[in-house]
């Protein structure tokens, strides 16, 4: 059996992509809906400066991340996948959020896997170090960077990432579909 190395982003990928919206609407006195979120940079969506958003995020990041809800079937699928493959959580979150991230993963019964909080959206070096076979991501720009470096990327569909797909990027709509694709890739590697 072939063991794949699967890197998984956290925010918007295993979490609901809009878990921050209610608190941000309240704090900034906005009334945005999920369908209004057409780009990844939250401060732009909210129509505030990056500095204003960073102040809000610094104050509430732990609460925001702890209150996040998981995407449907994400935990179940990753439990199944982790029985046969290596999983790594690779996030742009700041390293200072490690404790809250690990508590959240445990709270929602996600399988154990190494957690890497990079503090940057540049995930290429970590993907190389981990010999990543598949990277599951929600940020379009990350997907493009990773695909250019030869990584196979499953881009989980969100209103803010609906841009033309590049070679090596495959749009997926839910965790059940991700499971099916990983099983296909596993079979392809066994045949090769």
């Amino acid at each position: 059996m072939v063991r794949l190395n699967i890197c998984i982003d956290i925010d918007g990928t295993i979490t609901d992509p809009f878990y921050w919206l209610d608190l941000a609407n309240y704090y900034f006195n906005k009334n945005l809906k999920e369908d209004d979120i057409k780009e990844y940079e939250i401060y732009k969506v909210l129509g505030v400066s990056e500095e204003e958003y960073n102040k809000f995020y610094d104050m509430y990041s732990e609460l925001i991340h702890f209150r996040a809800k998981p995407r449907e079937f994400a935990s179940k699928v990753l439990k199944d996948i982790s029985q046969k493959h290596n999983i790594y959580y690779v996030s742009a979150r700041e390293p200072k959020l490690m404790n809250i991230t690990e508590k959240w993963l445990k709270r929602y019964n996600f399988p154990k896997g190494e957690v890497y909080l990079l503090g940057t959206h540049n995930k290429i070096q970590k993907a190389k170090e981990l010999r990543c076979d598949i990277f599951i991501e929600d940020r379009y720009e990350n997907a493009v960077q990773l695909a250019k470096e030869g990584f196979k990327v499953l881009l989980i569909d969100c209103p803010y990432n609906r841009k033309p797909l590049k070679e090596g990027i495959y749009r997926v709509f839910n965790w059940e579909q991700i499971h099916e694709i990983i099983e296909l890739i596993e079979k392809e590697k066994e045949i090769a």
Side-chain angles (χ1 to χ4, degrees):
M1 180 179 81
V2 175
R3 279 188 83 82
L4 300 173
N5 294 323
I6 302 171
C7 295
I8 304 124
D9 175 53
I10 296 175
D11 298 305
T13 303
I14 64 173
T15 72
D16 174 90
F18 307 108
Y19 64 92
W20 51 270
L21 188 56
D22 287 343
L23 190 57
N25 271 335
Y26 176 78
Y27 183 88
F28 291 105
N29 197 25
K30 303 285 182 180
N31 193 26
L32 296 171
K33 307 282 186 261
E34 291 178 7
D35 289 341
D36 298 326
I37 316 303
K38 302 290 188 206
E39 66 178 284
Y40 185 84
E41 298 299 336
I42 296 172
Y43 74 93
K44 290 179 182 177
V45 171
L46 291 166
V48 300
S49 72
E50 190 171 6
E51 184 178 271
E52 287 174 289
Y53 176 76
N54 288 340
K55 180 180 171 190
F56 159 75
Y57 184 75
D58 287 344
M59 242 188 307
Y60 295 106
S61 60
E62 287 195 7
L63 176 65
I64 290 169
H65 292 303
F66 194 69
R67 286 178 47 192
K69 298 292 182 214
R71 276 191 182 256
E72 188 175 25
F73 301 116
S75 177
K76 179 188 179 310
V77 167
L78 283 174
K79 277 185 196 168
D80 290 346
I81 290 170
S82 70
Q83 299 301 308
K84 295 195 248 179
H85 305 293
N86 303 315
I87 63 167
Y88 306 99
Y89 301 100
V90 182
S91 173
R93 288 183 182 185
E94 293 292 327
K96 69 182 181 182
L97 294 170
M98 183 63 80
N99 188 35
I100 202 76
T101 300
E102 288 176 337
K103 283 181 182 176
W104 186 88
L105 290 167
K106 186 175 181 178
R107 176 182 179 195
Y108 288 105
N109 298 310
F110 279 88
K112 290 187 186 221
E114 294 292 321
V115 178
Y116 299 95
L117 303 185
L118 306 177
T120 176
H121 286 290
N122 187 347
K123 299 177 179 180
I124 294 166
Q125 187 58 43
K126 186 52 70 181
K128 287 179 179 178
E129 288 171 20
L130 297 172
R131 296 183 174 168
C132 178
D133 293 299
I134 303 166
F135 207 113
I136 305 168
E137 178 66 62
D138 74 310
R139 186 172 186 258
Y140 179 80
E141 294 78 6
N142 289 359
V144 169
Q145 289 173 349
L146 289 159
K148 281 183 182 177
E149 292 292 321
F151 295 103
K152 190 171 291 200
V153 182
L154 303 182
L155 182 67
I156 196 158
D157 186 65
C158 297
Y160 51 81
N161 68 21
R162 293 180 183 147
K163 298 175 185 168
L165 298 182
K166 309 290 184 190
E167 186 176 336
I169 303 173
Y170 307 89
R171 185 172 300 281
V172 292
F173 295 91
N174 57 56
W175 274 92
E176 292 164 315
Q177 184 183 15
I178 290 169
H179 197 195
E180 291 170 9
I181 291 170
I182 289 172
E183 286 180 343
L184 285 173
I185 293 168
E186 176 188 339
K187 286 177 184 161
E188 287 173 3
K189 291 223 178 233
E190 285 176 355
I191 293 169

